């Protein structure tokens, strides 16, 4: 068995991104039976031609399919697609080598992605606290179980980073 080419980091991101959609995987599946033109492929897959074109462009940019424009017997232009021959072997070493070669958006994108914890926290919405029930008379406080701050964790008093960012944007447009 021959050795598979080792894609660069940017190529690997394009390839995996192209295969990371069920429609595109089904397109590859349909084209493994042979080349096909867009209209028939769209009917076979049950998707619209514009949607199919978008997915085919992504697969073609990743080098997984090849398109060619041909004229039919009646003079109509028909776009045919077929699977490009490819073999990739994913191993931890291949991924490490690809990661070391990342350039441009691939290298910056990984560093710029927020941590999942930060994303979850910034999206959390604070719900308003219910008004405490009326007291039985002057000088009596509601029981602890209905006090607005009862049972809240210590970080409930901390400001939400998303609120600070919104406030900063409204002050500095």
């Amino acid at each position: 068995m021959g050795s598979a080419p080792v894609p660069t980091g940017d190529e690997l991101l394009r390839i995996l991104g192209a295969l990371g959609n069920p429609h595109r995987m089904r397109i590859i599946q349909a084209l493994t039976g042979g080349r096909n033109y867009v209209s028939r492929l769209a009917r076979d897959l049950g998707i619209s031609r514009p949607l199919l074109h978008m997915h085919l462009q992504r697969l073609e940019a990743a080098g997984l399919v090849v398109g060619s424009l041909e004229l039919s017997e009646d003079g109509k232009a028909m776009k045919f697609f077929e699977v490009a021959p490819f073999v990739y072997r994913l191993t931890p070493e291949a991924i490490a080598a690809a990661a070391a070669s990342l350039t441009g958006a691939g290298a910056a994108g990984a560093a710029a992605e927020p941590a999942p914890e930060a994303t979850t926290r910034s999206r959390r919405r604070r719900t308003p606290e219910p008004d405490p029930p009326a007291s039985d008379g002057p000088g009596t406080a509601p029981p602890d179980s209905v006090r607005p701050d009862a049972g809240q964790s210590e970080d409930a008093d901390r400001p939400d980073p998303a609120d600070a960012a919104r406030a900063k944007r409204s002050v500095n447009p």
Side-chain angles (χ1 to χ4, degrees), residues 40-61:
R40 180 177 290 160
L41 191 56
R43 282 192 303 271
D44 291 350
L45 294 171
I47 61 176
S48 70
R49 286 186 313 181
L51 180 62
L52 178 61
H53 271 290
M54 182 202 63
H55 289 303
L56 286 166
Q57 286 174 345
R58 185 90 182 258
L59 289 166
E60 195 170 28

Side-chain angles (χ1 to χ4, degrees), residues 56-88:
L56 286 166
Q57 286 174 345
R58 185 90 182 258
L59 289 166
E60 195 170 28
L64 301 173
V65 300
V66 177
S68 59
L69 194 60
E70 299 178 18
L71 290 177
S72 66
E73 291 176 5
D74 61 352
K76 283 189 202 172
M78 298 174 64
K79 184 84 179 223
F80 280 86
F81 282 90
E82 60 187 320
V83 175
F86 64 87
V87 174
Y88 297 104

Side-chain angles (χ1 to χ4, degrees), residues 1 3 11 24 38 43 56 86 92 132 138 157 160 162 164-165 169:
M1 182 162 133
S3 67
E11 290 169 339
R24 292 191 284 267
V38 173
R43 282 192 303 271
L56 286 166
F86 64 87
D157 295 331
D160 186 352
R169 280 194 301 265

Side-chain angles (χ1 to χ4, degrees), residues 117-125 160-162 166:
E117 179 183 310
T119 304
T120 304
R121 184 174 181 149
S122 66
R123 290 184 186 159
R124 188 179 341 155
R125 295 190 181 259
D160 186 352
R166 280 191 289 275

